[in-house]
Amino acid sequence: DQQVKQNSPSLSVQEGRISILNCDYTNSMFDYFLWYKKYPAEGPTFLISISSIKDKNEDGRFTVFLNKSAKHLSLHIVPSQPGDSAVYFCAASDWAQKLVFGQGTRLTINP
Amino acid sequence: EAGVAQSPRYKIIEKRQSVAFWCNPISGHATLYWYQQILGQGPKLLIQFQNNGVVDDSQLPKDRFSAERLKGVDSTLKIQPAKLEDSAVYLCASSLERGQETQYFGPGTRLLVL
């Protein structure tokens, strides 16, 4: 039972363009959503989060959008830089505050 | 500020052997988590501690996995006996408190069971 899904295992984007990573969830009790970034041989690093009372949160080049009715969130990176190449995990939590992660999307930024 | 420390970084064992992983969370972080990340999947929570008490161990295979957090600081995760399907990266994370606090992850221990 995959409650958080990232349907694109990989994404390739040209440097300077926008990267859009998508995530879908099934549990309507989730009320907090996060994106983590992971480089090889390192643990995931927190990137940005959004509460269900908002539909958008920005932090520099990173913006997360939440569409509660569609149970969908997305991470926009603009402009994309070579250092953004990593695996990105979407995660969600409910009142129990247990994080449920998606499978990850490998983003490659091409020069 | 020092991050979450884990050791060893890599471990290779044969099935039916036992193995232990160690985690030292960020100083002052009350909540500690152990995750299992199988190749191609996202991290899955195994157990969550609040100080030295267990908050959630619903996904911990208790017939072979055990974890403890003595004195509310360091933690160890043990597998005994290991199975082939236990091959994964074991991640430790910590946060200041429970709730929707940011979790900070260690580099993980990569386990290969042959």
Side-chain angles (χ1 to χ4, degrees), chain B residues 51-70:
Chain B
N51 297 307
N52 60 348
V54 175
V55 172
D56 183 348
D57 64 356
S58 57
Q59 298 191 94
L60 187 74
K62 298 180 188 64
D63 57 335
R64 298 184 300 107
F65 286 64
S66 64
E68 61 181 9
R69 189 183 185 197
L70 299 177

Side-chain angles (χ1 to χ4, degrees), chain A residues 66-103:
Chain A
L66 175 63
N67 183 334
K68 289 186 289 294
S69 60
K71 294 191 179 68
H72 177 84
L73 68 156
S74 61
L75 174 69
H76 292 210
I77 307 173
V78 56
S80 300
Q81 298 174 355
D84 296 330
S85 295
V87 176
Y88 289 78
F89 290 99
C90 166
S93 72
D94 60 11
W95 62 272
Q97 292 116 30
K98 181 168 73 178
L99 281 186
V100 178
F101 284 84
Q103 310 95 307

Side-chain angles (χ1 to χ4, degrees), chain B residues 13 15 20 94 102:
Chain B
I13 62 172
K15 60 183 179 182
S94 69
T102 300

Side-chain angles (χ1 to χ4, degrees), chain B residues 21-99:
Chain B
F21 313 126
W22 174 83
C23 172
N24 180 240
I26 293 173
S27 177
H29 280 195
T31 309
L32 184 147
Y33 313 80
W34 282 102
Y35 289 86
Q36 179 193 59
Q37 186 182 6
I38 292 171
L39 188 64
Q41 299 181 20
K44 183 185 84 172
L45 180 68
L46 292 176
I47 188 167
Q48 176 183 342
F49 292 93
Q50 178 74 10
N51 297 307
N52 60 348
V54 175
V55 172
D56 183 348
D57 64 356
S58 57
Q59 298 191 94
L60 187 74
K62 298 180 188 64
D63 57 335
R64 298 184 300 107
F65 286 64
S66 64
E68 61 181 9
R69 189 183 185 197
L70 299 177
K71 301 180 182 179
V73 181
D74 293 5
S75 177
T76 56
L77 176 69
K78 296 179 182 177
I79 309 175
Q80 183 179 8
K83 292 186 175 181
L84 297 177
E85 58 261 36
D86 297 331
S87 294
V89 175
Y90 290 85
L91 294 160
C92 179
S94 69
S95 65
L96 270 172
E97 290 292 341
R98 285 187 69 198

Side-chain angles (χ1 to χ4, degrees), chain A residues 25-92:
Chain A
Y25 62 96
T26 57
N27 189 341
S28 58
M29 299 304 293
F30 288 146
D31 61 359
Y32 190 63
F33 305 89
L34 309 89
W35 286 93
Y36 277 82
K37 176 179 178 179
K38 186 181 183 304
Y39 292 119
E42 294 184 13
T45 303
F46 170 74
L47 193 57
I48 192 169
S49 64
I50 188 167
S51 165
S52 61
I53 62 173
K54 294 186 172 182
D55 54 18
K56 177 182 172 182
N57 189 27
E58 277 184 86
D59 184 2
R61 297 185 297 114
F62 303 91
T63 303
V64 57
F65 294 92
L66 175 63
N67 183 334
K68 289 186 289 294
S69 60
K71 294 191 179 68
H72 177 84
L73 68 156
S74 61
L75 174 69
H76 292 210
I77 307 173
V78 56
S80 300
Q81 298 174 355
D84 296 330
S85 295
V87 176
Y88 289 78
F89 290 99
C90 166

